[in-house]
Amino acid sequence: MNAPVSSFEAVERVGQRSGNGIAVKIDHVQKIFETRDGHEVIALEGADLAVSAGEFVAVVGPSGCGKSTLLSMIAGIENPTSGRILVDNHLLSGPNPRTSVVFQNDYLLPWRNIINNVLLPLEIKRLDTRLYRERAEALLTQVGLAGFGGRFPSELSGGMRQRVAICRAVIQEPGLLLMDEPFGALDALTREQMIMDLQNLWLRLKNTVVFITHGIDEAVFLADRVIVMSPRPGRIDMQLDIDLPRPRKWNEIHSNPGFTEAVAKVRGRFEEQGVLKAG
Amino acid sequence: MAGTLRDLAQKDLAPKSDAGSRRADRLRRQRRRATLEAFSAPALAFALLAIWQICVPLFNVSEFVLPTPIDILSRVVTDYRLLLTHAWITGAEVVVGFLCAAVVGILVALAVFYSRMVERAVYPLLIAVQTIPKVALAPLVVLYLGYDWGPKLFLSFLISFFPIVVATVVGLKGLDKGYANLVRSMGASEAQVFLKVRLPAALPSIFGSFKVALSLAVIGAVLGEYVAAERGLGYLQLQANANFDVTLNFAAVFVIALLGVALYSIILFVEKVVGDKQGARS
Ligand SMILES: Nc1ncnc2c1ncn2[C@@H]1O[C@H](COP(=O)(O)OP(=O)(O)OP(=O)(O)O)[C@@H](O)[C@H]1O
Ligand SMILES: [Mg+2]
């Protein structure tokens, strides 16, 4: 079940590892949007959360509870209305250079070929992209897209495109990886594969991951800790530590009592919230 | 693990060994169809010209009323010097008018896009002004700008300016906000967001508007020459009219059309170069 070692060697040869992840601290963060017609929408109400370096945190919650809003604020592309966010022990005032984001949509630039899409973050940071080509190709190989570098996004399936988006996010080995329902649009088979790949990737990088999802099973499977949010206005409702040994295996975990118990706990919380109907 | 994923990915692309002849067959059919399509437009044009050529003597139409395509073509050849001197003037008017429209149009579009104030104040005004038929302004333009380059440049600028502004604004606004957020999350400045995402995404609609604007610029320049000029293909047409020289008149129309096609091809070429460069950017 291990990823091919050869491609990782290539990765390590080209650039030095960024080492461990970076910590995130969220203090009483509130976000209020003003709609076009002058109404105020409280997207997030007083969220408190501390994610330690190298931790994998999954966030689940009903639709519209402010998960994406929280993520954009950690990414530094939205400002909190009140409260503060610390990334790597610094008060956030814009995107942190060691943070990468994977959105629900792949947002590959259609006029760039795959390899140049993967290299985009380096280009934005004005680095010499030629030095990273080998690494980009190794990453593509690792996610099963060897030889696709010269193709264009329109020639790839949705699952392939999302894999490219993940390569683009990890090309610089981010200390903090933020993912907003990255597998939401995928079929069950591809999703399962990507979940396993993500676990392997994280086991290699040992970075901090904040992973938003609608899938309770996927959250429990991947995370060290599952955060359950309340319906809008969003608040952090429950936290659940997941102490299952790694690497976890998708086909075996469903018979693991620790896993099923955790899944049941999260479901139970949603039922209490009235988001899920019991029975 | 990654191995299985790779297999999954590559299964889609594996060539089917028994389908070789079927593919060759399909390729052949595609090629035949492409040839047919490529020749359909010239063939139609040629047929129409042939009908024209045959009908003029058939119905005994005088050359002074309607010359045949061959008459016109031979006139273009014999009088090419005269036509060229005038075409040169008109061409310069079109190019300068169009380039001004492109530069000013894109700058105005950027101002509209980036400043809500400008959008609120200027954009509705622009749309309102656009509804004025620019042709109706021609006599006034002459009144204020005289008989030289002024009115021609101004008219070809004015008439081709609006489509560029509108298409550029629409192109810039059409981009999904997620793309801008994505590159921002990579630490991009607004200038980088513009250069890496907004501009490339808007280019198809900008080039689309260039094509429309170019033919409008030709109209503007010729219109200016009709109203007041001592040079240019429009002026030549008026001259030909005064001398009852219908063939020369048609020859001038032919050269105007040729000019339009030539400039249009340049835009197509630039579009292709820009597109290729973008695709291959490293
Ligand atoms: N730019 C905006 N302007 C106004 N309201 C907004 C804006 N962005 C989000 N909202 C509102 O804030 C709330 C939270 O939105 P958000 O996208 O964070 O939810 P979410 O938890 O990610 O939902 P989902 O699971 O469906 O993706 C929603 O009610 C939404 O309508
Ligand atoms: Mg969301």
Side-chain angles (χ1 to χ4, degrees):
Chain A
M1 271 315 215
N2 284 328
V5 177
S6 55
S7 58
F8 274 115
E9 279 171 357
V11 171
E12 275 158 351
R13 241 185 301 123
V14 180
Q16 77 267 45
R17 287 278 302 279
S18 54
N20 293 329
I22 55 184
V24 180
K25 196 158 171 4
I26 295 160
D27 268 343
H28 301 301
V29 165
Q30 189 192 39
K31 180 70 184 182
I32 299 175
F33 283 111
E34 202 157 314
T35 56
R36 252 165 244 244
D37 47 7
H39 284 291
E40 285 192 341
V41 178
I42 304 177
L44 201 69
E45 187 155 86
D48 284 287
L49 180 67
V51 183
S52 41
E55 191 181 13
F56 196 124
V57 165
V59 181
V60 290
S63 185
C65 73
K67 302 183 295 293
S68 297
T69 307
L70 180 64
L71 201 86
S72 337
M73 288 191 290
I74 302 173
I77 50 185
E78 293 266 14
N79 291 319
T81 309
S82 65
R84 32 176 235 154
I85 298 175
L86 294 149
V87 171
D88 206 9
N89 299 319
H90 292 292
L91 196 62
L92 205 61
S93 63
N96 181 297
R98 291 194 58 210
T99 302
S100 287
V101 191
V102 179
F103 295 95
Q104 178 161 14
N105 286 334
D106 51 70
Y107 291 125
L108 299 183
L109 301 181
W111 54 85
R112 280 170 177 256
N113 63 20
I114 297 307
I115 201 95
N116 288 335
N117 263 292
V118 174
L119 293 170
L120 180 66
L122 305 155
E123 208 177 302
I124 296 288
K125 295 191 172 98
R126 297 201 171 82
L127 298 169
D128 186 355
T129 52
R130 278 172 301 177
L131 302 176
Y132 289 84
R133 253 170 196 278
E134 204 178 329
R135 188 201 287 215
E137 262 148 29
L139 275 172
L140 287 172
T141 304
Q142 197 203 323
V143 298
L145 292 174
F148 279 79
R151 301 222 178 196
F152 283 83
S154 59
E155 301 172 285
L156 270 60
S157 73
M160 291 159 125
R161 293 165 58 116
Q162 194 58 286
R163 275 178 259 158
V164 176
I166 292 173
C167 291
R168 177 182 62 191
V170 300
I171 179 91
Q172 280 199 290
E173 309 200 340
L176 173 60
L177 181 59
L178 304 173
M179 305 180 97
D180 192 354
E181 297 185 38
F183 309 145
L186 303 181
D187 65 281
L189 206 65
T190 314
R191 174 170 157 258
E192 192 179 316
Q193 202 60 65
M194 306 252 311
I195 290 169
M196 298 296 295
D197 279 353
L198 178 60
Q199 177 182 237
N200 287 334
L201 189 74
W202 174 73
L203 287 173
R204 298 285 317 184
L205 294 179
K206 283 281 173 222
N207 58 353
T208 313
V209 179
V210 177
F211 181 85
I212 288 173
T213 176
H214 273 135
I216 300 173
D217 53 351
E218 138 186 334
V220 174
F221 177 83
L222 283 167
D224 294 324
R225 183 154 50 115
V226 175
I227 312 284
V228 181
M229 289 181 67
S230 69
R232 195 165 67 85
R235 211 179 278 117
I236 283 156
D237 196 37
M238 183 178 90
Q239 307 203 17
L240 191 63
D241 287 318
I242 314 291
D243 288 318
L244 299 170
R246 297 193 190 260
R248 301 171 185 167
K249 294 179 183 173
W250 188 260
N251 50 353
E252 289 167 20
I253 200 121
H254 290 272
S255 53
N256 183 319
F259 176 81
T260 43
E261 193 185 316
V263 169
K265 263 190 201 160
V266 176
R267 286 192 141 267
R269 191 66 219 151
F270 279 142
E271 280 163 19
E272 282 161 36
Q273 287 178 358
V275 177
L276 265 176
K277 295 265 188 321
Chain B
M1 137 91 20
T4 30
L5 195 50
R6 201 172 319 143
D7 293 344
L8 264 179
Q10 283 175 348
K11 211 169 350 169
D12 313 340
L13 300 174
K16 295 176 195 80
S17 50
D18 62 327
S21 67
R22 220 179 319 139
R23 191 193 309 157
D25 215 39
R26 197 184 47 212
L27 267 178
R28 214 170 313 129
R29 226 172 317 127
Q30 268 175 1
R31 211 169 308 139
R32 201 175 328 131
R33 207 219 204 104
T35 327
L36 218 66
E37 275 169 8
F39 279 106
S40 58
L44 181 64
F46 190 78
L48 290 173
L49 287 174
I51 291 172
W52 179 357
Q53 182 70 42
I54 292 164
C55 284
V56 170
L58 199 66
F59 295 107
N60 251 330
V61 184
S62 150
E63 191 196 330
F64 298 104
V65 177
L66 183 65
T68 67
I70 291 180
D71 290 338
I72 296 165
L73 214 63
S74 60
R75 188 62 184 272
V76 170
V77 173
T78 49
D79 264 344
Y80 82 97
R81 250 173 216 285
L82 176 72
L83 286 163
L84 211 60
T85 45
H86 289 283
W88 175 244
I89 302 291
T90 307
E93 290 162 2
V94 172
V95 168
V96 175
F98 170 79
L99 287 179
C100 290
V103 171
V104 178
I106 288 176
L107 289 178
V108 169
L110 286 180
V112 168
F113 180 76
Y114 277 110
S115 155
R116 185 176 278 232
M117 189 65 195
V118 174
E119 186 184 359
R120 288 273 161 80
V122 177
Y123 205 42
L125 214 69
L126 275 177
I127 303 292
V129 171
Q130 198 186 359
T131 60
I132 300 174
K134 258 69 73 186
V135 183
L137 294 177
L140 283 169
V141 171
V142 173
L143 194 63
Y144 292 113
L145 295 179
Y147 285 75
D148 212 3
W149 289 89
K152 293 100 192 169
L153 295 186
F154 186 72
L155 282 170
S156 76
F157 161 79
L158 194 69
I159 209 166
S160 57
F161 165 73
F162 294 103
I164 296 176
V165 177
V166 174
T168 308
V169 170
V170 169
L172 288 171
K173 281 194 172 173
L175 184 74
D176 185 334
K177 246 175 61 184
Y179 284 100
N181 277 340
L182 173 83
V183 285
R184 271 199 208 111
S185 80
M186 298 170 181
S189 62
E190 187 46 50
Q192 279 181 314
V193 175
F194 177 74
L195 286 175
K196 299 287 176 192
V197 181
R198 294 197 200 283
L199 182 64
L203 275 181
S205 62
I206 292 177
F207 272 107
S209 76
F210 279 179
K211 290 170 199 164
V212 175
L214 183 80
S215 39
L216 291 174
V218 175
I219 294 175
V222 174
L223 177 70
E225 291 170 355
Y226 286 161
V227 185
E230 282 124 27
R231 299 171 298 176
L233 290 167
Y235 166 77
L236 188 64
Q237 279 189 282
L238 294 185
Q239 281 259 300
N241 259 4
N243 297 331
F244 303 105
D245 191 347
V246 185
T247 314
L248 181 61
N249 205 330
F250 268 105
V253 171
F254 178 77
V255 175
I256 290 172
L258 216 59
L259 186 69
V261 170
L263 294 173
Y264 193 92
S265 318
I266 293 177
I267 292 184
L268 282 184
F269 175 74
V270 173
E271 184 178 23
K272 188 167 157 26
V273 168
V274 170
D276 287 352
K277 216 173 135 203
Q278 237 171 27
R281 184 179 294 158
S282 54

